[in-house]
């Protein structure tokens, strides 16, 4: 990848943009960075009440299970959303200065990943303490997180570039958020579904393999929360998906990058 | 080579969409039926800017100057031809330059430095200089949204001027800020040029063009019309401004024009030869009569006498302008008009011989007028122009083609626009009540009280 080398010269810009994105998000708010954790904790509390007590989910340590799934969701879906908006919200840079545009979505997604990292910092010791499986699969966790991050970068690049030309993209993503969240195994696992659901194997298959976030969530829940090795099929799927996504993202972005300054 | 810029048959097109459809749905539903027309903002521009050269791009609004700078800066890709720029480029295009309103001046300086490829410690090393230059010491830790546009501009220029680029691109920067800051920018630009930097800038300020640049390029209709010394190019530009209808470059409609076939491919490889010379433009006699009954033969500033000193005068100085007129028609009743305009082309002085000196001599042969006036202006560039008119019809017979530039230097101790005699008297309160006569003059400025 020769085209990656000139990017190194822009490492300071990347760092600056990441810092700015993180600080900008909570600038002038009294609780500041604490919001990164208050948000998911509130969601976890509500879902915990609904699905543990009202629907009676059989999963042990259900709140922590939710929190782990939510961390992956924040990393991937949150990254997609901020990535999609990133070029437009930094239009003043794009139209005035020459630098590799790819830095903007990459920095926005990285800043979002910082929030997911804060969640991981809380989830990791609790998982180690509470999980009943083995610790060995934790070795795979860093690799899986990188795979999730790479996938998000790839998808975010596509969305960021396309959103410059069709501003509907960010609204579509916002509209998809809640339904997509429900269709992703975050507050349930496929193995703990009620018996009635097991008859719809085809549907579950579609939900499982048609949604690349689903296998990602499953793999990370397995290694971090359940202490088991993730299913090989899921692991291979996410690795291939993220490699494909980052290549597609790079190509699409490079093609659409040239005329961006005109469209903003 | 560092600091060198080469544009080789560069063309750049814009699409003007008549019905702006930005949404996915509309685009999918309508497919290719979105109506647009094409505008060639740059047409086959070939330019070679040497390292260390200072080039001004001049032209009317919409001529393509700013597009040219954006192409030079690498922000817009050309649709045909090639651009080569050696070394680092810092560009200051339009106001703001990517400041984030919620962050402080200091944070934005670091961000801006990083945009120009500087590391954190490089910016740290220059931070104090940048703050001092922008005169924002008291405001640097306040959010940029609280800044006035002048303050933002000062900060943006300070950063761009201190990143030490090989090539500096400026778009209409010098018209913002007060006279003192403009003078400082000028100094900084000269400093940059003295150290071998390459400058390309867009300006409507003809005096700035004259003082900074050794070369001026007149752009019209997206083409290079004239490329030469400012003294050569600026009069043609003036002519163009007056002759508002039509243009020189836009002789082919955009619907028909296309870049030369040989260079239509943007991946075109650069060749060593310099391309065709730009089209030469012969000044159009325009609105001036072909055989005027009077012509201006000479116009010069005789006091102060030294030709170098003519361009820099202390605030409030008296200037003597001599204009020699040749008359060809003894019947014409003539009137001489001297105007002084500032850098914004506002007339700050206009004087007519008919009001001040009565009738001008009508004999065949000619006469010389000497006009003396003081310029109580604190600071900035001024232009002196001479026009000879037919007093009965008011028609302009001749105009000295080059206005004479003057730079007023700040020597006056106060502030404001005017530099006029001011006397201060300070008296103890008790004396002021009893004694009407002024007491001790603390400071007096000017020739006469």
């Amino acid at each position: 990848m020769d085209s990656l080398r000139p990017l190194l010269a822009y490492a300071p810009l990347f760092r600056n943009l990441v810092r700015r994105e993180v600080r900008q998000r909570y600038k002038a708010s009294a609780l500041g960075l604490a919001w990164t954790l208050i948000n998911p904790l509130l969601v976890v509390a509500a879902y915990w009440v609904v699905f543990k007590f009202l629907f009676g989910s059989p999963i042990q340590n259900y709140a922590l299970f939710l929190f782990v799934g939510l961390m992956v969701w924040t990393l991937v879906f949150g990254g997609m959303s901020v990535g999609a908006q990133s070029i437009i919200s930094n239009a003043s840079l794009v139209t005035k200065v020459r630098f590799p545009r790819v830095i903007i979505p990459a920095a926005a997604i990285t800043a979002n990943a910082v929030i997911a990292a804060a969640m991981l910092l809380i989830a990791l010791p609790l998982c180690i303490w509470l999980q009943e499986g083995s610790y060995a699969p934790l070795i795979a966790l860093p690799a899986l997180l990188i795979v999730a991050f790479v996938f998000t970068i790839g998808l975010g690049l596509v969305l960021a570039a396309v959103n410059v030309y069709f501003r509907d993209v960010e609204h579509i993503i916002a509209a998809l958020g809640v339904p997509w969240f429900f269709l992703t195994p975050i507050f349930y696992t496929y193995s703990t579904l009620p018996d009635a659901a097991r008859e719809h194997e085809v549907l579950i298959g579609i939900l499982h393999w048609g949604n690349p976030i689903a296998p990602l969530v499953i793999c990370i829940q397995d290694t971090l929360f359940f202490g088991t090795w993730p299913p090989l099929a899921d692991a291979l799927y996410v690795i291939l998906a993220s490699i494909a996504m980052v290549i597609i993202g790079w190509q699409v972005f490079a093609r659409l990058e040239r005329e961006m300054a005109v469209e903003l | 080579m560092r600091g060198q810029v080469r544009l080789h048959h560069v063309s750049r097109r814009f699409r003007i969409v008549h019905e702006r459809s930005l949404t996915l749905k509309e685009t999918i539903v309508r497919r290719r039926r979105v109506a647009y027309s094409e505008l060639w903002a740059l047409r086959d521009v070939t330019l070679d800017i040497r390292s260390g050269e200072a080039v001004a791009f001049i032209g009317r609004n919409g001529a393509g100057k700013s597009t040219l700078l954006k192409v030079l800066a690498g922000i817009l890709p050309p649709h045909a031809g090639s651009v080569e720029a050696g070394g680092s480029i810092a560009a200051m295009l339009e106001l703001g330059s990517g400041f984030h309103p919620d962050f402080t001046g200091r944070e934005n300086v670091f961000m801006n430095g990083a945009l120009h490829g500087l590391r954190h410690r490089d910016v740290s090393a220059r931070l104090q200089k940048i703050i001092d230059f922008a005169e924002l010491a008291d405001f640097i830790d306040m959010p940029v949204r609280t800044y006035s546009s002048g303050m933002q501009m000062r900060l943006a220029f300070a950063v761009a001027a201190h990143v030490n680029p090989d090539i500096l691109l400026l778009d209409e920067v010098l018209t913002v800020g007060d006279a003192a800051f403009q003078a400082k920018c000028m100094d900084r630009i000269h400093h940059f040029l003295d150290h071998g930097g390459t400058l390309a800038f867009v300006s409507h300020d003809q005096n700035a063009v004259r003082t900074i640049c050794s070369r001026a390029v007149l752009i019209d209709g997206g083409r290079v019309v004239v490329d030469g010394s400012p003294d050569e190019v600026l009069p043609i530009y003036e002519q163009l401004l007056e002759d508002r209808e039509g243009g020189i470059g836009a002789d082919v409609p955009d619907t028909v024009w296309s870049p030369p076939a040989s260079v239509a491919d943007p991946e075109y490889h650069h060749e060593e030869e310099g391309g065709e010379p730009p089209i030469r433009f012969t000044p159009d006699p325009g609105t001036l009569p072909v055989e005027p009954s009077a012509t201006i033969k000479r116009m010069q500033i005789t006091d102060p006498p030294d030709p170098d000193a003519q361009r820099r005068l202390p605030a409030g100085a008296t200037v003597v302008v001599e204009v020699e007129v040749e008359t060809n028609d003894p019947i014409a009743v003539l009137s001489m008009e001297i105007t002084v305009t500032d850098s914004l082309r506002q007339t700050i002085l206009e004087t007519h011989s008919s009001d001040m000196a009565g009738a001008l001599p009508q004999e065949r042969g000619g006469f010389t007028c000497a006009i003396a006036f003081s310029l109580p202006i604190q600071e900035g560039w001024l232009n002196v122009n001479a026009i000879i008119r037919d007093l009965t019809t008011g028609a302009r017979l001749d105009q000295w083609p080059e206005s004479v530039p003057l730079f007023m230097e700040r020597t006056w101790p106060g502030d404001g626009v005017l530099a006029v005699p001011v006397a201060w008297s300070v008296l103890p309160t008790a004396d002021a009540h009893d004694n009407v006569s002024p007491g001790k003059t603390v400071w007096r400025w000017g020739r006469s009280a």
Side-chain angles (χ1 to χ4, degrees):
Chain A
M1 282 266 205
D2 276 349
S3 43
L4 281 178
R5 199 160 303 131
L7 286 180
L8 286 179
Y10 287 92
L13 175 63
F14 177 76
R15 272 199 300 276
N16 255 292
L17 272 171
V18 172
R19 263 224 318 272
R20 175 165 122 172
E21 293 283 337
V22 172
R23 296 185 49 195
Q24 187 182 331
R25 198 179 281 215
Y26 300 104
K27 193 131 188 148
S29 65
L31 292 176
L33 276 174
W35 279 111
T36 54
L37 295 175
I38 295 171
N39 256 330
L41 288 175
L42 282 174
V43 173
V44 164
Y47 280 67
W48 184 53
V49 170
V50 172
F51 293 106
K52 184 72 188 172
F53 297 105
L54 303 186
F55 286 82
S57 172
I59 299 168
Q60 296 292 311
N61 302 322
Y62 187 66
L64 184 59
F65 170 76
L66 276 174
F67 194 74
V68 168
L70 203 57
M71 179 200 78
V72 182
W73 179 257
T74 304
L75 176 67
V76 179
F77 187 80
M80 275 169 56
S81 313
V82 298
Q85 294 162 15
S86 61
I87 298 278
I88 288 174
S89 51
N90 286 292
S92 66
L93 298 183
V94 175
T95 54
K96 285 179 187 116
V97 193
R98 179 180 69 164
F99 61 94
R101 282 28 173 150
V102 79
I103 288 177
I104 291 179
I109 292 167
T110 307
N112 178 74
V114 170
I115 291 162
M119 293 173 73
L120 178 67
L121 223 59
I122 292 183
L124 188 63
L126 288 174
C127 285
I128 289 173
W129 179 34
L130 293 171
Q131 65 148 283
E132 284 149 12
S134 135
Y135 292 134
L138 277 177
I139 303 167
L141 184 64
L144 284 169
L145 291 171
I146 288 170
V147 164
F149 181 70
V150 167
F151 177 81
T152 311
I153 292 273
L155 195 52
L157 285 179
V158 173
L159 297 173
V162 175
N163 194 32
V164 172
Y165 300 89
F166 307 106
R167 311 261 164 129
D168 298 40
V169 168
E170 59 184 83
H171 302 297
I172 293 171
I173 294 170
L176 285 181
V178 174
W180 197 345
F181 181 84
F182 273 80
L183 294 175
T184 305
I186 290 169
F187 54 85
Y188 54 87
T189 67
Y190 293 131
S191 53
T192 56
L193 292 175
D195 291 340
R198 289 169 200 259
E199 290 163 26
H200 306 289
E201 259 184 52
V202 178
L203 178 66
I204 291 176
I206 291 172
L207 291 177
H208 186 169
W209 301 109
N211 170 12
I213 302 182
L216 263 176
V217 170
I218 290 169
C219 287
I220 291 173
Q221 282 169 341
D222 280 352
T223 49
L224 183 60
F225 180 79
F226 292 111
T228 57
W229 292 101
L232 188 63
D234 289 82
L236 280 176
Y237 178 95
V238 296
I239 290 168
L240 292 178
S242 69
I243 291 172
M245 202 64 239
V246 83
I247 291 171
I248 293 169
W250 186 268
Q251 299 287 341
V252 169
F253 196 87
R255 178 164 290 193
L256 296 178
E257 178 183 12
R258 287 167 64 82
E259 294 292 318
M260 268 176 193
V262 184
E263 295 290 330
L264 291 169
Chain B
M1 189 192 160
R2 287 187 91 75
Q4 195 178 42
V5 182
R6 306 189 102 166
L7 293 178
H8 200 77
H9 296 292
V10 166
S11 298
R12 167 76 213 190
R13 171 187 66 214
F14 286 105
R15 280 186 178 171
I16 301 171
V17 179
H18 296 310
E19 236 174 298
R20 191 106 176 108
S21 79
L22 269 178
T23 65
L24 193 57
K25 183 196 126 205
E26 279 172 335
T27 312
I28 291 169
V29 172
R30 299 254 223 70
R31 302 282 334 220
R32 298 209 167 267
R33 274 182 289 141
V34 182
Y36 65 84
S37 58
E38 289 193 338
L39 172 91
W40 285 93
L42 291 179
R43 300 170 170 214
D44 197 19
V45 173
T46 296
L47 270 178
D48 224 325
I49 300 174
R50 286 182 301 277
S51 181
E53 204 170 19
V55 182
F57 296 121
I58 54 177
R60 301 183 291 185
N61 288 332
K65 308 176 298 279
S66 297
T67 305
L68 183 57
L69 274 199
K70 286 198 168 184
V71 170
L72 280 181
I75 295 165
L76 292 180
H79 282 123
S82 66
V83 184
E84 290 171 33
S88 61
I89 300 181
M92 234 191 118
L93 312 171
E94 305 152 29
L95 269 161
S97 271
F99 285 147
H100 193 291
D102 284 337
F103 287 87
T104 68
R106 188 189 302 273
E107 289 165 327
N108 271 298
V109 167
F110 278 100
M111 184 68 214
N112 231 277
L115 275 172
H116 288 115
L118 292 190
R119 284 164 304 177
H120 194 270
R121 62 165 172 273
D122 296 333
V123 182
S124 298
R126 291 161 211 210
L127 185 63
Q128 198 51 47
K129 273 192 198 163
I130 292 173
I131 296 171
D132 289 345
F133 187 90
E135 297 165 20
L136 287 171
D138 297 337
F139 303 97
I140 198 67
D141 288 313
M142 284 163 67
V144 164
R145 76 181 123 81
T146 64
Y147 286 20
S148 69
S149 58
M151 287 158 81
Q152 288 193 28
M153 203 65 201
R154 262 149 50 198
L155 192 59
F157 184 87
V159 177
H162 286 84
V163 296
N164 294 345
D166 296 312
I167 302 160
L168 182 62
L169 307 175
L170 302 174
D171 192 352
E172 279 296 345
V173 180
L174 300 169
T175 50
V176 187
D178 57 13
F181 191 73
Q182 280 185 26
K184 220 161 128 178
C185 290
M186 287 285 197
D187 278 352
R188 185 71 205 176
I189 288 170
H190 282 297
H191 172 86
F192 170 76
L193 291 171
D194 289 344
H195 287 74
T198 306
L199 173 76
F201 85 124
V202 165
S203 183
H204 291 290
D205 186 341
Q206 303 199 16
N207 288 316
V209 172
R210 277 206 173 85
T211 45
I212 297 171
C213 297
S214 50
R215 179 174 170 196
V217 177
L218 176 59
I219 311 277
D220 203 52
R223 282 188 185 169
V224 175
V225 177
V226 200
D227 184 347
S229 73
D231 286 339
E232 198 180 343
V233 176
L234 285 171
I236 300 172
Y237 171 54
E238 291 250 304
Q239 197 113 41
L240 194 63
L241 284 178
E242 280 174 19
D243 174 30
R244 279 178 196 280
E245 280 166 42
I248 308 158
D251 49 354
V252 183
D254 283 300
T255 43
V256 180
W257 194 88
S258 66
S262 62
V263 293
D265 175 16
E267 306 299 324
Y268 175 75
H269 290 290
H270 182 76
E271 285 171 27
E272 266 316 299
E273 50 200 295
E276 279 174 59
I279 307 149
R280 282 279 152 182
F281 170 64
T282 323
D284 182 9
T287 50
L288 297 176
V290 184
E291 271 180 59
S293 44
T295 50
I296 298 176
K297 288 283 147 208
R298 179 177 64 91
M299 170 182 171
Q300 74 186 109
I301 292 177
T302 54
D303 185 38
D306 177 13
D308 278 344
Q310 279 176 20
R311 295 209 161 177
R312 298 183 90 83
L313 298 176
T318 296
V319 175
V320 178
V321 180
E322 265 188 30
V323 185
E324 190 185 327
V325 177
E326 189 181 274
T327 53
N328 310 317
D329 180 1
I331 301 156
V333 184
L334 303 175
S335 172
M336 167 77 69
E337 178 182 322
I338 299 288
T339 58
V340 179
T341 53
D342 65 12
S343 55
L344 302 172
R345 295 180 76 102
Q346 287 175 310
T347 304
I348 59 165
L349 175 76
E350 181 175 324
T351 174
H352 299 258
S353 64
S354 51
D355 301 333
M356 306 289 292
L360 294 173
Q362 282 169 273
E363 301 83 53
R364 197 173 279 276
F367 55 87
T368 300
C369 297
I371 306 103
F373 49 88
S374 67
L375 291 170
I377 301 297
Q378 281 231 19
E379 193 165 32
W381 280 103
L382 301 175
N383 262 317
V384 186
N385 311 279
I387 296 170
I388 184 105
R389 288 183 191 277
D390 185 321
L391 189 58
T392 42
T393 62
R396 193 167 46 153
L397 301 174
D398 196 16
Q399 173 174 9
W400 188 244
E402 291 166 44
S403 54
V404 177
L406 292 172
F407 186 76
M408 306 309 293
E409 283 187 311
R410 174 178 289 255
T411 50
W412 203 78
D415 225 326
V417 178
L418 291 178
V420 291
V422 170
W424 278 74
S425 301
V426 180
L427 297 175
T429 309
D431 292 354
H433 286 303
D434 313 335
N435 195 351
V436 199
S437 72
K440 183 181 130 212
T441 298
V442 176
W443 215 93
R444 182 185 284 271
W445 185 90
R447 279 169 308 280
S448 56

